Amino acid sequence: MVQPTRPPKNSLNATMRKLYNPLGFTRFYNFILWFIFAGALFGFVLARFMYLNFSGIFCSRSPSPGNSAAPGECYYYVNFNQYKVGIIMHLATILPAGVLVVLQFTPAIRHKAIMFHRINGYVVLMLYVVSMVGCFMIIRHAFGGGLDTQAGLATIAIASIVSFVLSYINIKRLQIEQHRAWMLRGWFYAGCIITERIIQISAAQIISKANNYFTTRPCYQIDYIYNTREPVLAIYPECEAYYSGTNPGQQALVHATMNNDNPVEIGAALGISFGMAIWLAFAIHAIGVEIYLHLTPREAERLRNVSYQRQLEAGMRNAGSAGLTVNRLGDAEDWVPQQRKGSENTLVGHNGAAVNDKQQQTS
């Protein structure tokens, strides 16, 4: 449990400390941010664990609204092995990764169970990478598979994986503040799928009120949704070419709206909203995480001084900047550790021994 060094400002602050100090938080705003973002991810993932019942729920022939894949998507998952393997691989890895990563951002676990933090981190990253492989396997037909959707999902996958790689490189170099920054970026990018859902459903409702959005859907997908020929031809007579065999790839013009019970039109409304929603959500999260990182320079500076100490003890060159720091890669001024800003150039290591940084740098 964290022991506060400052007296509480009021009785409310004293009461809240009893809640967030045992979790390892020293500041209330950090706890609130953790509660909102980690809590949203945790709840979102838990609500989708039922999707692991692939045939009974996710691709059920009689789905409940909101409890299954978008109308028509399971045509590809149940009829083509590569898409079925991809979606199951994605769900079976991203869902446990989403639960376990919440533990990574809980300070009490990072501070008191370092070995668990490391092992759990490796497990989470492995699960996430596998889930992205599954994502790329199904990306061609996700929510219609438009180029905007494919590009958006690929950008998020690549951006998050690159961030995790940079985070891993930095922690191996004991550059803790850069490890923190890139890990936050990676999971904020990955977490934009939650914001995307909110934007997507809102956009689908908006275009339904506009009542003038249309798209196309292949007749074989529409046939899969209705599972019988008569209603398909009654609503989409152009699909006769599909049933007669003259054009197996026949497309039908579909009204994108959620104002009725037609699952084809509901799926179309969700599909044409997805690409826009994923790009907008990604922009919001990418900007948001940079704002947070720029508003917490004291925490970054504190962690960099911790990195400096640990890099000295490990005998690394350029202690304080042994990882991928801006003064090594760009034209920033050399970073000066807190210990050098005073009159002394030594600091005490973890084992209590004094470590002279000038001697280390020249050795």
Side-chain angles (χ1 to χ4, degrees):
M1 178 176 175
V2 172
Q3 297 297 329
T5 58
R6 296 174 295 175
K9 296 179 180 179
N10 49 52
S11 59
L12 177 61
N13 183 247
T15 301
M16 294 306 298
R17 281 185 177 184
K18 295 179 182 179
L19 176 64
Y20 64 79
N21 284 163
L23 292 172
F25 293 98
T26 58
R27 293 179 176 83
F28 182 59
Y29 79 89
N30 280 332
F31 169 73
I32 290 297
L33 292 174
W34 175 85
F35 182 81
I36 293 173
F37 292 108
L41 177 62
F42 189 72
F44 180 83
V45 169
L46 285 185
R48 279 150 182 78
F49 260 99
M50 61 182 176
Y51 288 174
L52 295 179
N53 183 351
F54 183 79
S55 299
I57 295 179
F58 188 73
C59 279
S60 172
R61 292 300 304 183
S62 55
S64 301
N67 291 338
S68 64
E73 284 200 53
C74 282
Y75 168 81
Y76 302 99
Y77 302 150
V78 300
N79 291 319
F80 300 93
N81 287 335
Q82 66 268 35
Y83 296 121
K84 184 175 183 179
V85 171
I87 188 63
I88 292 177
M89 182 188 302
H90 178 67
L91 293 173
T93 50
I94 196 61
L95 294 177
V99 171
L100 294 175
V101 75
V102 175
L103 303 177
Q104 293 298 98
F105 289 100
T106 305
I109 295 177
R110 289 203 308 270
H111 299 156
K112 297 182 179 181
I114 297 177
M115 186 56 65
F116 173 82
H117 178 74
R118 291 175 180 172
I119 295 174
N120 189 54
Y122 285 122
V123 171
V124 168
L125 292 182
M126 289 175 61
L127 288 172
Y128 187 81
V129 170
V130 173
S131 76
M132 290 302 100
V133 173
C135 178
F136 278 109
M137 292 173 67
I138 65 173
I139 198 172
R140 174 62 184 88
H141 294 291
F143 285 100
L147 291 178
D148 54 343
T149 293
Q150 294 184 54
L153 291 175
T155 298
I156 292 171
I158 294 171
S160 56
I161 290 176
V162 169
S163 296
F164 294 147
V165 169
L166 293 174
S167 180
Y168 175 79
I169 293 172
N170 276 292
I171 199 59
K172 298 304 288 186
R173 300 295 299 169
L174 302 178
Q175 201 70 46
I176 303 172
E177 89 285 350
Q178 290 298 317
H179 170 71
R180 163 186 175 261
W182 285 108
M183 193 60 71
L184 282 170
R185 288 186 178 107
W187 281 107
F188 261 77
Y189 300 155
C192 76
I193 194 66
I194 303 173
T195 305
E196 178 279 326
R197 288 292 192 271
I198 299 173
I199 298 173
Q200 179 189 25
I201 294 173
S202 300
Q205 295 290 348
I206 292 171
I207 66 173
S208 297
K209 290 184 177 180
N211 205 35
N212 58 1
Y213 282 81
F214 295 84
T215 186
T216 60
R217 285 292 181 266
C219 290
Y220 55 74
Q221 190 178 41
I222 298 175
D223 176 71
Y224 172 82
I225 294 174
Y226 281 103
N227 202 28
T228 182
R229 176 174 177 168
E230 287 72 18
V232 175
L233 292 177
I235 305 173
Y236 308 104
E238 59 266 47
C239 287
E240 176 63 37
Y242 161 71
Y243 286 112
S244 65
T246 57
N247 186 5
Q250 176 67 41
Q251 299 270 330
L253 183 65
V254 178
H255 184 202
T257 179
M258 300 183 73
N259 289 334
N260 54 51
D261 295 329
N262 185 335
V264 179
E265 295 183 352
I266 294 173
L270 293 171
I272 65 174
S273 302
F274 185 85
M276 174 277 298
I278 201 68
W279 279 108
L280 182 55
F282 178 66
I284 292 171
H285 280 238
I287 294 171
V289 70
E290 296 303 322
I291 292 174
Y292 174 76
L293 291 172
H294 280 79
L295 289 177
T296 54
R298 292 179 62 182
E299 177 65 8
E301 182 69 10
R302 182 188 71 82
L303 290 175
R304 191 160 189 180
N305 278 282
V306 173
S307 303
Y308 171 74
Q309 178 175 336
R310 295 186 180 179
Q311 289 165 358
L312 277 180
E313 293 174 346
M316 292 183 177
R317 293 181 177 273
N318 302 314
S321 301
L324 303 178
T325 57
V326 67
N327 59 296
R328 292 188 63 192
L329 302 177
D331 61 354
E333 297 290 339
D334 287 340
W335 177 78
V336 180
Q338 188 65 39
Q339 288 79 5
R340 285 190 183 177
K341 294 177 182 178
S343 58
E344 297 181 358
N345 288 327
T346 61
L347 66 135
V348 178
H350 287 206
N351 58 4
V355 181
N356 187 287
D357 63 303
K358 286 186 177 180
Q359 291 179 356
Q360 188 276 335
Q361 300 287 356
T362 58
S363 62

